[in-house]
Amino acid sequence: GATCTSTDTWATFGESFFTSNCTRCHSASGRESPYLDTQSSVQSHLSAIKSEISTGRMPEGSSLDSTTKARIVAYLNCGAL
């Protein structure tokens, strides 16, 4: 696996990132699978999420600046704890 270099947690970063960037579509109300509104769901889809963000396919309709993209990838590399 990738090296963990992040000190972010679900409470300090993950939840707000996914709420701001993903759950409009990836939740029960948005109905796009996979739902990304819980930590356990994000943890179940780590590699797919990293791929979609790294390639710029997601978040759809917006782009993350390079600092935010690096931060979320580092967080995911640590297992989205």
Coordinates of all heavy atoms in Angstrom, one line a residue:
G1 N 0.8 -1.2 0.0 CA 0.0 0.0 0.0 C 0.8 1.3 0.0 O 2.1 1.2 0.1
A2 N 0.2 2.4 -0.1 CA 0.9 3.7 -0.1 C 1.3 4.0 1.3 O 0.8 3.6 2.3 CB -0.1 4.7 -0.7
T3 N 2.3 4.9 1.3 CA 2.8 5.4 2.6 C 1.9 6.4 3.2 O 1.4 7.3 2.5 CB 4.2 6.0 2.4 OG1 5.1 5.1 1.8 CG2 4.8 6.5 3.7
C4 N 1.6 6.2 4.5 CA 0.7 7.2 5.2 C 1.5 8.4 5.7 O 2.5 8.3 6.4 CB 0.1 6.5 6.4 SG -0.9 7.6 7.4
T5 N 1.1 9.6 5.2 CA 1.8 10.8 5.6 C 0.8 11.8 6.1 O 1.2 13.0 6.4 CB 2.5 11.4 4.4 OG1 1.5 11.7 3.3 CG2 3.6 10.5 3.8
S6 N -0.4 11.4 6.3 CA -1.5 12.4 6.8 C -1.8 12.2 8.2 O -1.8 11.1 8.8 CB -2.8 12.1 6.0 OG -3.8 12.9 6.5
T7 N -2.0 13.4 8.9 CA -2.5 13.3 10.3 C -4.0 13.7 10.3 O -4.5 13.8 11.4 CB -1.7 14.3 11.1 OG1 -1.8 15.6 10.6 CG2 -0.2 13.9 11.2
D8 N -4.6 13.9 9.2 CA -6.0 14.2 9.1 C -6.9 13.0 9.6 O -6.4 11.8 9.4 CB -6.5 14.5 7.7 CG -6.0 15.9 7.3 OD1 -6.1 16.8 8.1 OD2 -5.5 16.1 6.2
T9 N -8.0 13.2 10.1 CA -9.0 12.2 10.5 C -10.3 12.5 9.9 O -10.5 13.5 9.3 CB -9.2 12.2 12.1 OG1 -9.8 13.4 12.4 CG2 -7.8 12.0 12.8
W10 N -11.2 11.5 10.0 CA -12.6 11.7 9.5 C -13.2 13.0 10.2 O -13.8 13.8 9.5 CB -13.4 10.5 9.8 CG -14.9 10.6 9.4 CD1 -16.0 10.8 10.1 CD2 -15.3 10.5 8.0 NE1 -17.1 10.8 9.3 CE2 -16.7 10.6 8.0 CE3 -14.7 10.3 6.8 CZ2 -17.5 10.6 6.9 CZ3 -15.5 10.2 5.6 CH2 -16.9 10.4 5.7
A11 N -13.0 13.1 11.5 CA -13.6 14.3 12.2 C -12.9 15.6 11.8 O -13.6 16.6 11.7 CB -13.5 14.1 13.7
T12 N -11.6 15.6 11.5 CA -11.0 16.9 11.3 C -10.9 17.3 9.8 O -10.7 18.4 9.5 CB -9.5 16.9 11.8 OG1 -8.8 15.9 11.0 CG2 -9.4 16.6 13.3
F13 N -11.2 16.3 8.9 CA -11.0 16.6 7.5 C -12.0 15.8 6.6 O -12.7 16.3 5.7 CB -9.6 16.4 7.0 CG -9.4 16.6 5.5 CD1 -9.6 17.9 4.9 CD2 -9.0 15.6 4.7 CE1 -9.4 18.0 3.6 CE2 -8.8 15.7 3.4 CZ -9.0 17.0 2.8
G14 N -11.9 14.5 6.8 CA -12.7 13.6 5.8 C -14.1 13.9 5.7 O -14.6 14.0 4.6
E15 N -14.8 14.0 6.8 CA -16.3 14.2 6.7 C -16.6 15.5 6.0 O -17.5 15.5 5.1 CB -16.9 14.2 8.1 CG -18.4 14.3 8.1 CD -19.0 14.1 9.5 OE1 -18.3 14.3 10.5 OE2 -20.2 13.7 9.5
S16 N -15.9 16.6 6.4 CA -16.2 17.8 5.7 C -15.9 17.8 4.2 O -16.6 18.4 3.4 CB -15.5 19.0 6.4 OG -14.1 18.9 6.4
F17 N -14.8 17.1 3.9 CA -14.4 17.0 2.5 C -15.5 16.3 1.7 O -15.9 16.8 0.6 CB -13.0 16.3 2.3 CG -12.7 16.1 0.8 CD1 -12.0 17.1 0.1 CD2 -13.1 15.0 0.2 CE1 -11.7 16.9 -1.2 CE2 -12.9 14.8 -1.2 CZ -12.2 15.7 -1.9
F18 N -15.9 15.1 2.2 CA -16.9 14.4 1.4 C -18.2 15.0 1.4 O -18.9 15.0 0.4 CB -16.9 12.9 1.9 CG -15.8 12.1 1.5 CD1 -14.7 12.0 2.3 CD2 -15.8 11.6 0.2 CE1 -13.6 11.2 1.8 CE2 -14.6 10.8 -0.2 CZ -13.6 10.7 0.6
T19 N -18.6 15.7 2.5 CA -19.9 16.5 2.5 C -19.8 17.6 1.5 O -20.8 17.8 0.7 CB -20.2 17.0 3.9 OG1 -20.3 15.9 4.8 CG2 -21.4 17.8 3.9
S20 N -18.7 18.3 1.4 CA -18.6 19.5 0.5 C -18.5 19.1 -1.0 O -18.9 19.8 -1.9 CB -17.4 20.3 0.9 OG -17.5 20.8 2.1
N21 N -17.8 17.9 -1.2 CA -17.4 17.6 -2.6 C -18.1 16.4 -3.2 O -18.0 16.2 -4.4 CB -15.9 17.4 -2.7 CG -15.2 18.6 -2.4 OD1 -15.1 19.6 -3.2 ND2 -14.6 18.7 -1.2
C22 N -18.7 15.5 -2.4 CA -19.2 14.2 -2.9 C -20.6 13.9 -2.7 O -21.3 13.3 -3.5 CB -18.3 13.1 -2.4 SG -16.5 13.4 -2.5
T23 N -21.2 14.2 -1.5 CA -22.4 13.7 -1.1 C -23.6 14.3 -1.8 O -24.7 13.8 -1.7 CB -22.6 13.7 0.4 OG1 -22.6 15.1 0.9 CG2 -21.6 12.9 1.1
R24 N -23.4 15.4 -2.5 CA -24.6 15.9 -3.3 C -25.1 14.9 -4.2 O -26.3 14.7 -4.5 CB -24.1 17.2 -4.1 CG -25.2 17.8 -4.9 CD -24.8 19.1 -5.5 NE -23.7 19.0 -6.4 CZ -23.8 18.6 -7.7 NH1 -24.9 18.3 -8.2 NH2 -22.7 18.5 -8.4
C25 N -24.2 14.1 -4.8 CA -24.5 13.0 -5.7 C -24.4 11.6 -5.0 O -25.3 10.7 -5.2 CB -23.6 13.0 -6.9 SG -23.8 14.5 -7.9
H26 N -23.3 11.4 -4.2 CA -23.0 10.1 -3.6 C -23.6 9.9 -2.2 O -22.9 9.9 -1.2 CB -21.5 9.9 -3.6 CG -20.9 9.7 -5.0 ND1 -21.0 8.5 -5.6 CD2 -20.3 10.6 -5.8 CE1 -20.4 8.7 -6.8 NE2 -20.0 9.9 -6.9
S27 N -25.0 9.9 -2.2 CA -25.7 9.7 -0.9 C -27.1 9.2 -1.3 O -27.5 9.2 -2.5 CB -25.8 11.0 -0.1 OG -26.6 12.0 -0.8
A28 N -27.9 8.9 -0.3 CA -29.3 8.4 -0.6 C -30.1 9.5 -1.3 O -30.8 9.2 -2.2 CB -29.9 8.1 0.7
S29 N -29.9 10.8 -1.0 CA -30.6 11.8 -1.7 C -30.1 12.1 -3.1 O -30.9 12.4 -4.0 CB -30.6 13.1 -0.8 OG -29.2 13.6 -0.7
G30 N -28.8 11.8 -3.3 CA -28.3 12.0 -4.7 C -28.4 10.8 -5.5 O -28.3 10.9 -6.7
R31 N -28.4 9.6 -4.9 CA -28.7 8.3 -5.5 C -27.6 7.8 -6.4 O -27.8 6.9 -7.2 CB -30.0 8.3 -6.2 CG -31.2 8.5 -5.2 CD -32.5 8.2 -5.9 NE -32.9 9.1 -6.9 CZ -33.9 10.0 -6.8 NH1 -34.6 10.0 -5.7 NH2 -34.1 10.8 -7.8
E32 N -26.4 8.4 -6.4 CA -25.3 7.8 -7.2 C -24.5 6.9 -6.3 O -24.1 7.3 -5.2 CB -24.3 9.0 -7.7 CG -24.9 9.8 -8.8 CD -25.1 9.1 -10.1 OE1 -24.4 8.1 -10.4 OE2 -26.1 9.4 -10.8
S33 N -24.2 5.7 -6.8 CA -23.4 4.7 -6.1 C -21.9 5.0 -6.4 O -21.6 5.3 -7.5 CB -23.8 3.3 -6.5 OG -23.1 2.4 -5.8
P34 N -21.0 4.8 -5.4 CA -21.3 4.4 -4.0 C -21.6 5.6 -3.2 O -21.2 6.7 -3.5 CB -19.9 3.8 -3.6 CG -18.9 4.6 -4.4 CD -19.6 4.9 -5.7
Y35 N -22.4 5.4 -2.2 CA -22.7 6.5 -1.2 C -21.4 6.8 -0.4 O -20.7 5.8 0.0 CB -23.8 6.1 -0.2 CG -25.1 5.9 -0.9 CD1 -26.2 5.4 -0.1 CD2 -25.4 6.2 -2.2 CE1 -27.4 5.2 -0.6 CE2 -26.6 6.0 -2.7 CZ -27.7 5.5 -2.0 OH -28.9 5.3 -2.5
L36 N -21.1 8.0 -0.3 CA -19.8 8.4 0.4 C -20.1 9.3 1.6 O -19.4 10.3 1.9 CB -18.9 9.1 -0.6 CG -18.5 8.3 -1.8 CD1 -17.7 9.1 -2.7 CD2 -17.8 7.0 -1.3
D37 N -21.2 9.0 2.3 CA -21.7 9.8 3.4 C -21.3 9.3 4.8 O -21.7 9.9 5.8 CB -23.2 10.1 3.3 CG -24.0 8.9 3.1 OD1 -23.4 7.8 3.0 OD2 -25.2 9.0 3.0
T38 N -20.6 8.2 4.8 CA -20.1 7.6 6.1 C -18.7 7.2 5.9 O -18.2 6.9 4.8 CB -20.9 6.4 6.5 OG1 -20.7 5.3 5.6 CG2 -22.4 6.7 6.6
Q39 N -18.0 7.2 7.0 CA -16.6 6.9 7.0 C -16.4 5.4 6.6 O -15.5 5.1 5.8 CB -16.0 7.0 8.4 CG -14.5 6.7 8.5 CD -13.9 7.0 9.9 OE1 -14.7 7.0 10.9 NE2 -12.6 7.1 10.0
S40 N -17.2 4.5 7.0 CA -17.1 3.1 6.6 C -17.3 2.9 5.1 O -16.6 2.1 4.5 CB -18.1 2.2 7.4 OG -19.4 2.6 7.2
S41 N -18.2 3.7 4.6 CA -18.4 3.6 3.1 C -17.2 4.1 2.3 O -16.8 3.5 1.4 CB -19.7 4.4 2.7 OG -19.9 4.3 1.3
V42 N -16.7 5.2 2.8 CA -15.5 5.7 2.2 C -14.3 4.7 2.3 O -13.6 4.4 1.3 CB -15.1 7.1 2.8 CG1 -13.7 7.5 2.4 CG2 -16.1 8.2 2.4
Q43 N -14.2 4.1 3.4 CA -13.1 3.1 3.6 C -13.3 1.9 2.7 O -12.4 1.3 2.3 CB -13.1 2.7 5.1 CG -12.5 3.8 6.0 CD -12.6 3.5 7.5 OE1 -13.5 2.8 7.9 NE2 -11.7 4.1 8.3
S44 N -14.6 1.6 2.4 CA -14.8 0.4 1.6 C -14.5 0.7 0.1 O -14.4 -0.3 -0.7 CB -16.3 0.1 1.7 OG -16.6 -0.4 3.0
H45 N -14.3 1.9 -0.3 CA -14.1 2.3 -1.7 C -12.8 3.1 -1.9 O -12.7 3.9 -2.8 CB -15.3 3.1 -2.2 CG -16.6 2.3 -2.1 ND1 -16.9 1.3 -3.0 CD2 -17.6 2.4 -1.2 CE1 -18.1 0.8 -2.6 NE2 -18.5 1.4 -1.6
L46 N -11.8 2.9 -1.0 CA -10.6 3.8 -1.0 C -9.9 3.8 -2.4 O -9.6 4.9 -2.9 CB -9.6 3.3 0.0 CG -10.0 3.6 1.5 CD1 -8.9 2.9 2.4 CD2 -10.0 5.1 1.7
S47 N -9.7 2.7 -3.0 CA -8.9 2.7 -4.2 C -9.7 3.4 -5.4 O -9.1 4.1 -6.1 CB -8.4 1.3 -4.6 OG -9.5 0.5 -4.8
A48 N -11.0 3.1 -5.5 CA -11.8 3.7 -6.5 C -11.8 5.3 -6.3 O -11.7 6.0 -7.3 CB -13.2 3.1 -6.5
I49 N -12.0 5.7 -5.1 CA -12.1 7.1 -4.8 C -10.7 7.8 -5.1 O -10.7 8.8 -5.8 CB -12.4 7.4 -3.3 CG1 -13.8 6.9 -3.0 CG2 -12.3 8.9 -3.0 CD1 -14.1 6.8 -1.5
K50 N -9.6 7.2 -4.7 CA -8.3 7.7 -5.0 C -8.1 7.9 -6.6 O -7.6 8.9 -7.0 CB -7.2 6.9 -4.5 CG -6.9 7.1 -3.0 CD -5.6 6.5 -2.5 CE -5.7 5.0 -2.5 NZ -4.6 4.4 -1.9
S51 N -8.5 6.8 -7.3 CA -8.4 6.9 -8.7 C -9.2 8.0 -9.4 O -8.7 8.7 -10.2 CB -8.8 5.5 -9.3 OG -8.8 5.6 -10.7
E52 N -10.5 8.1 -9.0 CA -11.4 9.1 -9.5 C -10.9 10.5 -9.2 O -10.9 11.4 -10.1 CB -12.8 8.9 -9.0 CG -13.5 7.6 -9.4 CD -13.7 7.6 -10.9 OE1 -14.3 8.5 -11.5 OE2 -13.2 6.6 -11.6
I53 N -10.4 10.8 -8.0 CA -9.9 12.1 -7.6 C -8.6 12.4 -8.3 O -8.3 13.5 -8.8 CB -9.8 12.2 -6.1 CG1 -11.2 12.2 -5.5 CG2 -9.0 13.5 -5.7 CD1 -11.2 12.2 -4.0
S54 N -7.7 11.4 -8.3 CA -6.3 11.6 -8.9 C -6.4 11.9 -10.4 O -5.6 12.7 -10.9 CB -5.5 10.4 -8.7 OG -5.2 10.2 -7.3
T55 N -7.3 11.3 -11.1 CA -7.4 11.5 -12.5 C -8.3 12.7 -12.8 O -8.3 13.1 -14.0 CB -8.1 10.3 -13.2 OG1 -9.4 10.1 -12.7 CG2 -7.2 9.1 -13.1
G56 N -8.9 13.3 -11.8 CA -9.8 14.5 -12.1 C -11.2 14.2 -12.5 O -11.9 15.1 -12.8
R57 N -11.6 12.9 -12.6 CA -12.9 12.6 -13.0 C -13.9 13.0 -12.0 O -15.1 13.3 -12.3 CB -13.1 11.1 -13.3 CG -12.4 10.7 -14.6 CD -12.8 9.2 -15.0 NE -12.3 8.3 -14.0 CZ -11.2 7.6 -14.2 NH1 -10.4 7.8 -15.2 NH2 -10.8 6.7 -13.3
M58 N -13.5 13.0 -10.7 CA -14.4 13.5 -9.6 C -13.6 14.5 -8.8 O -12.4 14.4 -8.7 CB -14.7 12.3 -8.7 CG -15.7 11.3 -9.4 SD -17.3 11.9 -9.5 CE -17.9 11.1 -11.0
P59 N -14.3 15.4 -8.1 CA -15.7 15.6 -8.2 C -16.2 16.1 -9.5 O -15.6 17.0 -10.1 CB -16.0 16.6 -7.1 CG -14.7 17.0 -6.5 CD -13.6 16.3 -7.2
E60 N -17.3 15.6 -10.0 CA -17.9 16.0 -11.3 C -18.3 17.4 -11.2 O -18.9 17.9 -10.3 CB -19.1 15.1 -11.6 CG -19.6 15.2 -13.0 CD -20.6 14.2 -13.3 OE1 -20.3 13.0 -13.6 OE2 -21.8 14.5 -13.2
G61 N -18.0 18.1 -12.3 CA -18.4 19.5 -12.4 C -17.6 20.5 -11.6 O -17.9 21.7 -11.5
S62 N -16.5 20.1 -10.9 CA -15.7 21.0 -10.2 C -14.3 20.4 -10.2 O -14.1 19.2 -10.5 CB -16.1 21.2 -8.8 OG -15.8 20.2 -7.9
S63 N -13.3 21.2 -9.9 CA -12.0 20.7 -9.8 C -11.4 21.1 -8.5 O -11.7 22.1 -7.9 CB -11.1 21.3 -10.9 OG -11.1 22.7 -10.9
L64 N -10.5 20.2 -8.0 CA -9.9 20.5 -6.7 C -8.5 21.1 -7.0 O -7.8 20.7 -7.9 CB -9.6 19.1 -6.0 CG -10.9 18.3 -5.6 CD1 -10.4 17.0 -5.0 CD2 -11.7 19.1 -4.6
D65 N -8.1 22.1 -6.2 CA -6.8 22.6 -6.4 C -5.8 21.5 -6.0 O -6.1 20.6 -5.3 CB -6.6 23.9 -5.6 CG -6.8 23.7 -4.1 OD1 -5.9 23.0 -3.5 OD2 -7.7 24.3 -3.5
S66 N -4.5 21.7 -6.4 CA -3.5 20.7 -6.2 C -3.3 20.4 -4.7 O -3.0 19.3 -4.3 CB -2.2 21.1 -6.9 OG -1.7 22.3 -6.4
T67 N -3.4 21.4 -3.9 CA -3.1 21.2 -2.4 C -4.2 20.4 -1.8 O -3.9 19.4 -1.1 CB -3.1 22.6 -1.7 OG1 -2.0 23.4 -2.3 CG2 -2.8 22.4 -0.2
T68 N -5.5 20.6 -2.2 CA -6.6 19.9 -1.7 C -6.5 18.4 -2.2 O -6.8 17.5 -1.5 CB -7.9 20.5 -2.0 OG1 -7.9 21.9 -1.5 CG2 -9.1 19.8 -1.4
K69 N -6.2 18.3 -3.5 CA -6.1 17.0 -4.1 C -5.0 16.1 -3.4 O -5.3 15.0 -3.0 CB -5.8 17.1 -5.6 CG -5.9 15.7 -6.3 CD -5.6 15.8 -7.8 CE -6.7 16.4 -8.5 NZ -6.5 16.3 -10.0
A70 N -3.9 16.7 -3.1 CA -2.8 16.0 -2.4 C -3.2 15.7 -1.0 O -2.9 14.6 -0.5 CB -1.5 16.9 -2.4
R71 N -3.9 16.6 -0.4 CA -4.4 16.3 1.0 C -5.4 15.2 1.1 O -5.2 14.3 1.9 CB -5.0 17.6 1.6 CG -5.3 17.4 3.1 CD -5.8 18.7 3.7 NE -6.2 18.6 5.1 CZ -6.8 19.5 5.8 NH1 -7.2 20.6 5.2 NH2 -7.1 19.2 7.0
I72 N -6.3 15.1 0.2 CA -7.3 14.0 0.3 C -6.7 12.7 -0.1 O -7.0 11.7 0.5 CB -8.6 14.3 -0.6 CG1 -9.7 13.3 -0.3 CG2 -8.3 14.4 -2.0 CD1 -10.2 13.2 1.1
V73 N -5.8 12.7 -1.1 CA -5.1 11.4 -1.5 C -4.3 10.9 -0.3 O -4.3 9.7 0.0 CB -4.3 11.6 -2.8 CG1 -3.4 10.4 -3.0 CG2 -5.3 11.8 -4.0
A74 N -3.6 11.8 0.4 CA -2.8 11.4 1.5 C -3.7 10.9 2.6 O -3.4 9.8 3.2 CB -2.0 12.6 2.1
Y75 N -4.8 11.5 2.9 CA -5.8 11.0 3.8 C -6.3 9.6 3.4 O -6.3 8.7 4.3 CB -7.0 12.0 3.9 CG -8.1 11.5 4.7 CD1 -8.1 11.4 6.1 CD2 -9.3 11.1 4.1 CE1 -9.2 11.0 6.8 CE2 -10.4 10.7 4.8 CZ -10.3 10.6 6.2 OH -11.4 10.2 6.9
L76 N -6.6 9.4 2.2 CA -7.1 8.1 1.7 C -6.0 7.1 1.8 O -6.2 5.9 2.2 CB -7.6 8.2 0.3 CG -8.9 9.1 0.2 CD1 -9.2 9.4 -1.3 CD2 -10.1 8.5 0.8
N77 N -4.7 7.5 1.6 CA -3.6 6.5 1.7 C -3.4 6.0 3.1 O -2.9 5.0 3.3 CB -2.3 7.2 1.2 CG -2.2 7.3 -0.3 OD1 -2.9 6.6 -1.0 ND2 -1.4 8.2 -0.7
C78 N -3.9 6.8 4.1 CA -3.8 6.4 5.5 C -5.1 5.6 5.9 O -5.2 5.3 7.1 CB -3.7 7.6 6.4 SG -2.1 8.4 6.1
G79 N -5.9 5.3 5.0 CA -7.1 4.5 5.3 C -8.3 5.2 5.7 O -9.3 4.6 6.2
A80 N -8.3 6.5 5.5 CA -9.5 7.4 5.8 C -9.9 7.2 7.3 O -11.1 6.9 7.6 CB -10.7 7.1 4.9
L81 N -8.9 7.2 8.2 CA -9.2 7.0 9.6 C -9.9 8.1 10.3 O -9.8 9.3 9.8 CB -7.9 6.6 10.3 CG -7.2 5.4 9.8 CD1 -5.9 5.2 10.5 CD2 -8.1 4.2 9.9

